[in-house]
Amino acid sequence: VLFDAVGTLLRPVPCVAEVYADVGRRFGCELSETEIARRFAAAFAAQEQIDRRWLGGRTSEPRERDRWRRIVGRVFGRPAALEPIFAALWEHFGRAQSWQLDPAAGPLWQELSARGLQLGLASNFDSRLLAICSGKPVLADCRRVFVSSLVGWKKPSVEFFRAIERELTLPATQIMLVGDDLDNDYRAALHAGWRALLLDPRGRWPQLDTIASLGQAAVRLG
Ligand SMILES: [Mg+2]
């Protein structure tokens, strides 16, 4: 059973807009959190489009760094201080303390491990996720952390899933992905022949195989 990272196991605390606003202010870029959130969503979506349409789902460590530099640049309107702002944000979101682990993750991890399931992460994050996991006691011993920048492909590309199958030497039907993204996690996993569970806290997809909270995963996997 593999879990998506951001939005499923981990969330940034303080939130992205608050951190961007603080860091921007330090370098003379005053923007409201509302405006940052709006620009961030647009910039993030634009980079997702580039990944899908131009790069065909391929990625790498340099591409991830470049992607985030472009997102930061677009949020702040290409400021003179782009490099220091970007560096501060890159470092912030690479620290374990910047991310809160869902409180249900600990008990869930214990219970599923006790049932003999192999657990891991399958994320579109970059190699910073390895350091973040090391800083979270629940995840620190996890040896199966798959990040797209190191796999070379990102979700929803089927190649991302195939690479993990090879690494785990398991057939697609014996792997499940639990994630909060309808396309990148749920649909992509099913398309690859995996099982899938969608974390859907707002109940937007009642017709799909969903859980309202991470804590429900243990029952559903029973
Ligand atoms: Mg997610």
Side-chain angles (χ1 to χ4, degrees), residues 8 31 47 62-63 69 71 79 97 107 122 128 134-135 145 149 155 157 160 191 193 202 218 222:
T8 302
L31 277 178
Q47 292 302 313
R63 164 60 189 149
R69 185 185 280 106
I71 290 171
Q97 312 91 279
R128 290 173 297 170
S134 302
V145 182
S149 62
K155 298 180 280 187
S157 299
F160 176 84
H191 177 70
R202 279 176 255 158

Side-chain angles (χ1 to χ4, degrees), residues 69-70 72-82:
R69 185 185 280 106
R70 286 168 191 274
V72 172
R74 190 156 155 187
V75 167
F76 290 105
R78 311 224 155 273
L82 174 59

Side-chain angles (χ1 to χ4, degrees), residues 4-10 155 179-181 184-185:
D4 166 57
V6 179
T8 302
L9 290 177
L10 299 165
K155 298 180 280 187
D180 69 312
D181 191 294
N184 287 345
D185 297 319

Side-chain angles (χ1 to χ4, degrees), residues 3 14 100 110 166:
F3 294 84
Q100 188 177 81
Q110 239 178 357
R166 283 194 296 275

Side-chain angles (χ1 to χ4, degrees), residues 153-173:
W153 296 92
K154 59 191 294 181
K155 298 180 280 187
S157 299
V158 75
E159 288 89 347
F160 176 84
F161 296 86
R162 295 291 172 259
I164 293 174
E165 291 160 22
R166 283 194 296 275
E167 195 71 32
L168 295 175
T169 59
L170 283 173
T173 51

